[in-house]
Amino acid sequence: QAEEELKKACEKKTQQVQEMGRRERLLKSDLDRAKEQLESFRQQVGRVCFPQATGAAEKAPTEEQLIEKIRQISDENQQHLEKEKLFQKEITSQLTKEKELLENVEMFKKSLYGLQ
């Protein structure tokens, strides 16, 4: 009976090891797929950031170059947003001045018509 229990325990351990092996293969497969997706994404970002380097003879940009280019694009975007806000303020100010001027012109016209 002890031999039978030992045999069952060994079979159970064998099944557990096989299951662990199956899980390991699945994880490895998932990891390989994630690596491929990451490399594909990296290549796409590289093509967008460095369109001149799309030729086969050109060397792919390094990670540092990609990061620096993305920082540069982000900084430029921030600068454009700040300029846009400034232009919006200027436009609002000009519209307010124009409105005041039109109101003054209307008052002046009414004054002139009142004098006639």
Side-chain angles (χ1 to χ4, degrees):
Q1 185 177 354
E3 188 178 323
E4 189 66 31
E5 288 178 14
L6 189 57
K7 194 174 183 181
K8 284 183 182 179
C10 282
E11 287 175 7
K12 187 175 181 180
K13 288 290 181 192
T14 300
Q15 289 175 347
Q16 288 175 342
V17 168
Q18 288 173 344
E19 178 63 18
M20 287 173 62
R22 187 186 71 79
R23 288 180 183 177
E24 181 182 10
R25 286 189 301 278
L26 286 173
L27 287 172
K28 217 173 195 184
S29 174
D30 288 348
L31 180 62
D32 289 342
R33 191 171 26 256
K35 283 180 183 177
E36 289 171 6
Q37 290 174 339
L38 177 62
E39 184 56 30
S40 174
F41 177 74
R42 186 188 179 292
Q43 289 173 0
Q44 290 175 24
V45 170
R47 283 193 295 273
V48 169
C49 291
F50 297 94
Q52 71 276 11
T54 55
E58 296 290 334
K59 201 167 80 170
T62 65
E63 303 229 348
E64 291 81 20
Q65 289 172 317
L66 287 174
I67 290 169
E68 184 55 37
K69 185 67 171 185
I70 291 169
R71 272 196 193 112
Q72 176 189 351
I73 291 169
S74 178
D75 290 346
E76 289 172 0
N77 186 41
Q78 187 61 37
Q79 290 172 1
H80 288 298
L81 289 174
E82 289 171 9
K83 283 182 182 178
E84 183 179 346
K85 285 180 186 176
L86 183 63
F87 288 146
Q88 287 292 341
K89 285 181 181 179
E90 288 178 12
I91 289 170
T92 302
S93 174
Q94 289 296 330
L95 288 173
T96 301
K97 288 177 184 177
E98 187 177 316
K99 184 179 176 185
E100 289 173 3
L101 182 62
L102 287 173
E103 289 172 356
N104 289 337
V105 167
E106 284 301 314
M107 284 184 2
F108 183 66
K109 282 182 183 178
K110 286 179 183 175
S111 296
L112 282 178
Y113 291 136
L115 292 175
Q116 292 178 353

